[in-house]
Amino acid sequence: MSYVYYQSVESHTTIQFVYTIIAGAGFCFNHLFMGSQAGKRYYLIPLALDSLFIIGFVFFFPKATLYLILFGVNAVTLFLVAESKRILLGCSLAFFVIWGICITYTFYATGNFSVMNNLINFTFIVFAAVVGRLIHKLLLAQEKIESQYDELAQTHDALKVAHEKLHHYSSQVEELTLIRERNRISGEIHDTVGHKMTALLVQLQVAKELLNSKPEKSKETILLCEELARNTLQEIRLSVRTLREDRQPQSFLSTVRKILEDYKMMTGLTSTLAVKGDATKIPVSIQLDLTRIIQESITNSVRHGQANECSVMLEVTDSNIDIFIKDNGTGAATVSPGFGLKNMRERVHEHGGNIMFESTASNGFIVKARFPLKEIRWQMGGA
């Protein structure tokens, strides 16, 4: 553009020649400086110098209106790098003041004023400013997208690490829960089966003593021992099966159904299982205790209530897990919690839940339990 200005006059003066060289070199230096980090921070200094060079062309070459195109280059630069609206507004007002001075000087020096040339060149300035601002917004959007992508990548990595830790912790909790359950079952075998084996030995000794003196009484005692041995063997099988299944992870519902099927095969107990809600929401730490409550309930139904039918209803919501177990056994006028019922109560209370036992003579036995999922509350005292 400096060269075009120089060629716009037929005869050149020395000062015009020298100024054209100085202005061209100044433009190059300023725009190279704008590409540096310091130039991006202090961009108003090279833009102000460019404006001075442009004004110099107006005074040395008053007949041409190409200076507005040079201001268009400045407009692209300004609207591309400026962040503050105040700076944009201040520079725009300064341009109109400078433009007015340049128009006045040109009219004074040449006696001519071309409205069309000024309007066309001013339109180019507006176009350059719009293009510069659009590129500015595009660069900002690109930087924001890159920043968000980096944040997303970091979040993804953090979630991946957290998922791995959660999986590891879940495996540990499951393993510890299984170990605790095996220890609990071992205690149950010791307390229940051990007690029955002791009673069996006592009854066998009684039968031995009565064998000669009271053979009929001895025969009755032997039959009692046979029944006692059969019940003990059944409990041992169920406990061993439970321990074996703990080493083979299955879904909660599959485990419960298998228990009910086993009781059907071994005792003839007919049972139904109804589930309302999403059973996958049941935490692993509650699944085992819930399974044992069902197992203990149907064992009591057969052992103490002589029941042949039992229904299990499970309801899962966002806040609670409710279990309802009812049989058609003989029931009892009063409920006196023994080892099994106390064990169930301890399991429920460990999770901050509550359990109720209901029974009347000849109307079966009912177990109701609730496990809270969102709010855990322990009550000291009471049922």
Side-chain angles (χ1 to χ4, degrees):
M1 289 298 300
S2 299
Y3 177 75
V4 171
Y5 255 108
Y6 182 74
Q7 291 293 327
S8 65
V9 296
E10 295 180 357
S11 58
H12 313 98
T13 62
T14 302
I15 192 170
Q16 287 176 327
F17 175 74
V18 173
Y19 182 77
T20 301
I21 295 175
I22 293 174
F27 286 140
C28 293
F29 174 78
N30 285 338
H31 283 268
L32 288 174
F33 177 71
M34 284 286 294
S36 65
Q37 291 296 328
K40 293 177 181 178
R41 180 178 300 178
Y42 304 106
Y43 61 89
L44 289 177
I45 295 176
L47 287 178
L49 292 176
D50 278 353
S51 298
L52 290 177
F53 287 133
I54 295 170
I55 294 171
F57 276 112
V58 174
F59 284 92
F60 287 113
F61 303 90
K63 293 183 179 181
T65 58
L66 295 176
Y67 69 92
L68 291 175
I69 297 178
L70 291 174
F71 273 121
V73 177
N74 261 16
V76 172
T77 306
L78 175 65
F79 280 82
L80 180 62
V81 299
E83 297 287 348
S84 173
K85 292 183 178 180
R86 287 186 176 182
I87 293 177
L88 292 175
L89 180 60
C91 291
S92 299
L93 293 176
F95 162 74
F96 283 107
V97 173
I98 294 172
W99 188 23
I101 294 173
C102 291
I103 291 174
T104 302
Y105 175 78
T106 300
F107 181 75
Y108 175 79
T110 62
N112 185 28
F113 174 70
S114 176
V115 177
M116 187 58 65
N117 286 341
N118 279 278
L119 287 177
I120 292 174
N121 291 332
F122 176 71
T123 303
F124 173 76
I125 293 176
V126 174
F127 173 76
V130 171
V131 171
R133 205 57 187 171
L134 289 175
I135 296 175
H136 174 79
K137 291 183 179 295
L138 181 63
L139 292 175
L140 286 181
Q142 184 178 3
E143 291 177 0
K144 186 176 182 180
I145 290 173
E146 291 177 354
S147 175
Q148 290 177 342
Y149 179 79
D150 292 338
E151 292 178 0
L152 183 63
Q154 293 175 2
T155 304
H156 175 73
D157 293 338
L159 286 175
K160 186 177 180 181
V161 173
H163 176 74
E164 292 176 353
K165 289 183 178 179
L166 182 62
H167 180 71
H168 177 67
Y169 293 152
S170 177
S171 300
Q172 287 184 329
V173 169
E174 186 174 356
E175 183 177 354
L176 290 174
T177 304
L178 290 175
I179 292 174
R180 185 193 66 179
E181 191 61 23
R182 290 192 183 102
N183 293 335
R184 191 193 299 270
I185 293 174
S186 298
E188 291 178 3
I189 292 175
H190 177 271
D191 293 337
T192 58
V193 178
H195 173 73
K196 287 189 176 182
M197 291 300 295
T198 302
L200 178 62
L201 289 174
V202 172
Q203 293 296 325
L204 286 174
Q205 290 176 353
V206 171
K208 182 179 178 182
E209 294 293 333
L210 298 175
L211 182 61
N212 295 324
S213 60
K214 297 181 179 180
E216 291 297 327
K217 186 66 175 177
S218 175
K219 184 178 180 180
E220 291 179 2
T221 305
I222 291 175
L223 291 176
L224 178 63
C225 292
E226 181 182 358
E227 182 65 22
L228 192 60
R230 186 178 294 107
N231 292 337
T232 303
L233 179 60
Q234 180 179 319
E235 290 188 4
I236 292 175
R237 285 174 177 173
L238 289 174
S239 298
V240 170
R241 184 183 296 273
T242 300
L243 289 172
R244 185 174 68 246
E245 288 175 352
D246 284 344
R247 295 193 298 268
Q248 300 173 353
Q250 297 179 350
S251 69
F252 168 72
L253 292 181
S254 298
T255 302
V256 174
R257 289 174 58 189
K258 189 68 167 60
I259 291 174
L260 297 178
E261 290 172 0
D262 288 343
Y263 270 87
K264 170 64 177 175
M265 292 176 57
M266 289 185 289
T267 67
L269 178 69
T270 301
S271 57
T272 59
L273 173 63
V275 180
K276 183 179 180 180
D278 186 3
T280 59
K281 292 182 180 180
I282 303 176
V284 175
S285 58
I286 296 180
Q287 288 181 11
L288 279 172
D289 288 324
L290 202 56
T291 303
R292 297 298 172 255
I293 289 174
I294 296 173
Q295 191 174 33
E296 183 68 28
S297 297
I298 59 179
T299 299
N300 290 337
S301 297
V302 175
R303 181 192 302 167
H304 302 298
Q306 287 79 47
N308 56 20
E309 291 182 5
C310 181
S311 63
V312 179
M313 297 180 63
L314 180 67
E315 182 175 358
V316 183
T317 63
D318 292 335
S319 56
N320 296 299
I321 300 171
D322 292 296
I323 184 75
F324 181 87
I325 305 170
K326 185 179 186 305
D327 63 48
N328 67 341
T330 58
T334 58
V335 178
S336 300
F339 178 84
L341 298 185
K342 289 180 180 179
N343 189 19
M344 283 193 282
R345 181 171 291 170
E346 289 177 1
R347 290 179 185 274
V348 176
H349 286 177
E350 280 186 9
H351 300 281
N354 56 76
I355 187 168
M356 296 176 58
F357 307 112
E358 299 178 3
S359 180
T360 56
S362 303
N363 278 335
F365 198 87
I366 299 174
V367 177
K368 298 179 182 178
R370 167 169 288 187
F371 293 84
L373 294 179
K374 290 187 176 180
E375 180 182 357
I376 299 178
R377 179 180 300 175
W378 283 272
Q379 178 178 341
M380 309 309 169

